[in-house]
Amino acid sequence: MATHPTLSIYDRARRIRAWLLPAACPLCGESIAPERDFCDGCERALPMVYACCTRCAAALEQADTSALICGQCQQNPPAYTTVRAPFRYAGPIDRLILGAKYGARLDWVALLSRAMTRHIDGRANSVDAVVPVPLHRSRLRERGYNQSLELARPLAKQLGLPLMLGVERVRATPPQTSLSRADRRKNVRRAFAANGDFAGLRIAVVDDVLTSGATAEAMAQCLLKAGATSVEVWVAARA
């Protein structure tokens, strides 16, 4: 089980950036108070998750979704029990996620993690530990960091949960972006292997975006096979 470093890589980056530059909205550049993440206008424009499936967080048309599950989850229930996401993967939040994932904007990773923490706070008692989706070592060398780990680290700390790194990506799979739903599932099949002790634990898997759910499904199946009793999925955005 991993321990938390005193100061994470993006905490250091954020402090240096705050020392060098005045606080500004990451979406429009307008000056904001240091404790704010967005200006008032951009905050109102954020694509929040509202009416959604209680299992996978897919958008639903109905206004009352207190106990609704989408048709896809009714026909083929996923291995995970629920998805928690503060945002829809749409403008303008998609810019932040892409920058966090591919542009080394670790300050944006921190911002997204804070949004996830606020969204999940009060409901974290349903899990025992947090597990980030791992990158294959070749992708990690190329990118230099794992955005899922950098999202999970402060999230786990703020919610008072252990951060576990006991899952490895054993296959270097190609990016999912251009693949169909069926091909995405094939792409990540047997891509993960557990090397930690998850027996009897309720796990939250952390990632940046959930699209088809293929990666989340593969992670959930891996963890359940390793002895976890249940798996939730926590992401910054739901496509």
Side-chain angles (χ1 to χ4, degrees), residues 12-45:
R12 293 194 293 270
R14 190 183 183 206
R15 290 189 179 188
I16 293 170
R17 188 178 180 83
W19 180 66
L20 293 173
L21 300 170
C25 175
L27 295 172
C28 72
E30 181 178 320
S31 296
I32 55 175
E35 67 275 9
R36 295 284 304 276
D37 285 329
F38 303 100
C39 69
D40 289 340
C42 289
E43 190 162 336
R44 286 193 296 269

Side-chain angles (χ1 to χ4, degrees), residues 11-117:
D11 283 329
R12 293 194 293 270
R14 190 183 183 206
R15 290 189 179 188
I16 293 170
R17 188 178 180 83
W19 180 66
L20 293 173
L21 300 170
C25 175
L27 295 172
C28 72
E30 181 178 320
S31 296
I32 55 175
E35 67 275 9
R36 295 284 304 276
D37 285 329
F38 303 100
C39 69
D40 289 340
C42 289
E43 190 162 336
R44 286 193 296 269
L46 293 175
M48 309 300 293
V49 170
Y50 293 115
C52 67
C53 171
T54 56
R55 191 72 178 264
C56 74
L60 294 173
E61 294 181 2
Q62 293 89 339
D64 180 13
T65 61
S66 57
L68 290 180
I69 298 177
C70 71
Q72 179 67 31
C73 287
Q74 290 181 40
Q75 294 174 17
N76 299 291
Y80 47 87
T81 59
T82 192
V83 173
R84 304 196 188 281
F87 303 117
R88 289 273 165 227
Y89 187 67
I93 210 69
D94 54 354
R95 276 201 293 123
L96 300 186
I97 291 174
L98 289 173
K101 187 169 187 172
Y102 300 114
R105 290 303 304 260
L106 298 176
D107 53 332
W108 291 357
V109 178
L111 182 156
L112 293 167
S113 185
R114 289 194 297 274
M116 292 171 68
T117 301

Side-chain angles (χ1 to χ4, degrees), residues 135-154:
L135 283 180
H136 189 266
R137 57 185 177 276
S138 61
R139 188 68 55 80
L140 185 59
R141 282 196 301 268
E142 176 186 315
R143 191 174 297 170
Y145 64 99
N146 177 1
Q147 76 281 354
S148 298
L149 172 58
E150 300 306 329
L151 284 169
R153 202 190 308 272

Side-chain angles (χ1 to χ4, degrees), residues 134-214:
L135 283 180
H136 189 266
R137 57 185 177 276
S138 61
R139 188 68 55 80
L140 185 59
R141 282 196 301 268
E142 176 186 315
R143 191 174 297 170
Y145 64 99
N146 177 1
Q147 76 281 354
S148 298
L149 172 58
E150 300 306 329
L151 284 169
R153 202 190 308 272
L155 177 63
K157 184 177 181 179
Q158 290 301 314
L159 296 176
L161 293 167
L163 177 67
M164 298 184 68
L165 305 179
V167 178
E168 181 183 0
R169 197 164 197 139
V170 294
R171 288 200 301 111
T173 56
Q176 300 270 76
T177 310
S178 61
L179 301 179
S180 67
R181 178 183 289 270
D183 286 340
R184 286 177 185 230
R185 292 189 178 277
K186 292 177 184 177
N187 190 39
V188 293
R189 191 174 296 157
R190 293 184 294 276
F192 303 105
N195 52 29
D197 183 9
F198 297 100
L201 296 179
R202 302 168 300 168
I203 300 297
V205 169
V206 173
D207 205 359
D208 52 355
V209 179
L210 188 142
T211 305
S212 68

